[in-house]
Amino acid sequence: MNPDLIITRAHVFTADPAAPRAEAVAVGGSRLTFVGSAAEAESLRGPRTRLIDAKGRSLLPGLIDSHFHLLWGSVGLADAQLGSVRTLDDLSSALRKFADDHPSADWLTGSGLPYNFLPGGLPLSRHHLDAIIADRPIFVLAYDHHTVWANTEALRRANLLRDGATTGPNSEIVIGSDGLASGELREFGAYDSIKALIPKPDTAAKRSLLHQGLAQAAALGITGIHNMNGDAEELALYAALEDAGELTLRIYCPYLVTPETPAEALAEAAALRDEYPSDPLAGSGRGMVRGGAVKFFMDGVIESGTALLLDDYADRP
């Protein structure tokens, strides 16, 4: 049978120590059917084979990202993108532009903010955000989603400005020198009450944003991920994309277990293993979404001091 696709005249890295380099590959369905010379690949070509001349470019195996959050990250693409922020002026410009571009949005949201970008390691506070925009609530996620910074209006709406309470371990509403919340909220148990007030995208919007996230992954050569916050609802969403022919990477989805998760919930993890046993090399029918693992998560991250360590933090005895 002739291949569906041939990529030829490439610098192919095969990851095979016995033959680490090749000139061409052929693909049938979702499987590589040939790796070798350009001349041999040409001999396999049929009338319907698509031919791509790589013109000497490099060709690598697809990358598998072992810690990914596809839905979270994709939904975050609707926010102000703050990954390149390096100064307070950068943050101000990004949030003001987002506010101008979304004049009817009740909440101003941002994603991807680095830690400690202010001079001297000064912590970002609600006062910094108030100076940018004070009359609309601001909710800004750190790049790892373990910390949020909020302005005074956002804290007020969630009743966190004075005597706010956290839920869950290692969560902290940082208190400023004035005895009020500083605007820094560490871990989900500190900021979930604010997040609950922000309108969520409907299913159609989620799918549209997922297409953007999938496109970004493809552009970076990512063809498989371990989606590290799985549950039945998220797996069903990915499976629906696959059924519609819209899923462009393979997803291994561990079920997320936290200290609050009841033991009986592990039955759901077992059910997902049975419902999504997928062959990771399947090319037709259901096969790109797979259950069968569990992620146990209990503490936090080094950056905000919420991770549990055996020894003291070097800068915070």
Side-chain angles (χ1 to χ4, degrees):
M1 182 180 294
N2 301 120
D4 300 313
L5 169 70
I6 292 175
I7 303 174
T8 188
R9 291 211 306 151
H11 289 296
V12 182
F13 171 66
T14 69
D16 178 1
R21 296 284 183 265
E23 295 178 314
V25 300
V27 179
S30 65
R31 295 175 183 265
L32 290 174
T33 58
F34 169 82
V35 179
S37 72
E40 290 176 285
E42 179 64 30
S43 70
L44 302 173
R45 186 178 180 185
R48 292 187 174 84
T49 301
R50 180 186 176 202
L51 183 69
I52 295 177
D53 185 345
K55 299 179 180 178
R57 294 181 177 87
S58 297
L59 177 62
L60 309 177
L63 304 175
I64 299 174
D65 192 314
S66 64
H67 193 126
F68 210 87
H69 297 281
L70 178 59
L71 181 59
W72 287 359
S74 297
V75 168
L77 295 174
D79 300 338
Q81 300 302 294
L82 306 176
S84 62
V85 165
R86 296 296 180 268
T87 68
L88 191 57
D89 285 343
D90 290 344
L91 178 61
S92 178
S93 296
L95 290 177
R96 289 181 187 277
K97 183 179 186 307
F98 186 81
D100 291 341
D101 292 343
H102 300 80
S104 61
D106 188 26
W107 284 79
L108 302 177
T109 54
S111 290
L113 190 66
Y115 289 94
N116 302 323
F117 67 90
L118 293 180
L122 185 71
L124 185 66
S125 74
R126 64 185 171 91
H127 304 294
H128 293 111
L129 297 176
D130 289 347
I132 298 171
I133 296 171
D135 60 343
R136 297 166 72 181
I138 295 176
F139 177 94
V140 171
L141 275 162
Y143 68 83
D144 61 7
H145 285 215
H146 285 273
T147 297
V148 158
W149 294 273
N151 69 351
T152 301
E153 177 61 14
L155 294 166
R156 184 190 64 77
R157 292 194 186 192
N159 297 316
L160 294 181
L161 189 60
R162 302 173 185 272
D163 304 320
T166 65
T167 60
N170 287 32
S171 299
E172 180 183 2
I173 299 171
V174 178
I175 302 301
S177 59
D178 58 1
L180 303 178
S182 74
E184 181 177 347
L185 308 168
R186 298 174 180 169
E187 296 299 333
F188 309 95
Y191 70 72
D192 274 348
S193 60
I194 291 188
K195 189 177 181 182
L197 300 177
I198 301 172
K200 296 177 175 58
D202 60 21
T203 300
K206 280 183 183 178
R207 286 182 75 135
S208 176
L209 290 163
L210 276 168
H211 287 150
Q212 294 181 43
L214 289 168
Q216 284 197 11
L220 295 169
I222 297 172
T223 59
I225 61 170
H226 294 192
N227 192 76
M228 300 299 285
N229 60 287
D231 59 22
E233 182 179 0
E234 192 151 335
L235 271 160
L237 179 59
Y238 298 145
L241 286 174
E242 181 181 1
D243 291 343
E246 299 171 3
L247 189 62
T248 52
L249 48 67
R250 294 181 174 87
I251 300 177
Y252 187 25
C253 205
Y255 183 80
L256 177 60
V257 175
T258 69
E260 298 78 38
T261 303
E264 54 269 23
L266 287 173
E268 183 177 341
L272 295 176
R273 174 200 61 201
D274 298 336
E275 186 174 356
Y276 302 97
S278 315
D279 172 7
L281 294 179
S284 59
R286 180 70 59 74
M288 295 177 70
V289 180
R290 182 161 56 114
V294 174
K295 171 188 175 180
F296 290 94
F297 179 87
M298 67 177 296
D299 53 352
V301 294
I302 297 290
E303 289 85 347
S304 60
T306 54
L308 299 173
L309 303 184
L310 295 176
D311 298 317
D312 289 344
Y313 281 81
D315 61 342
R316 233 182 293 179

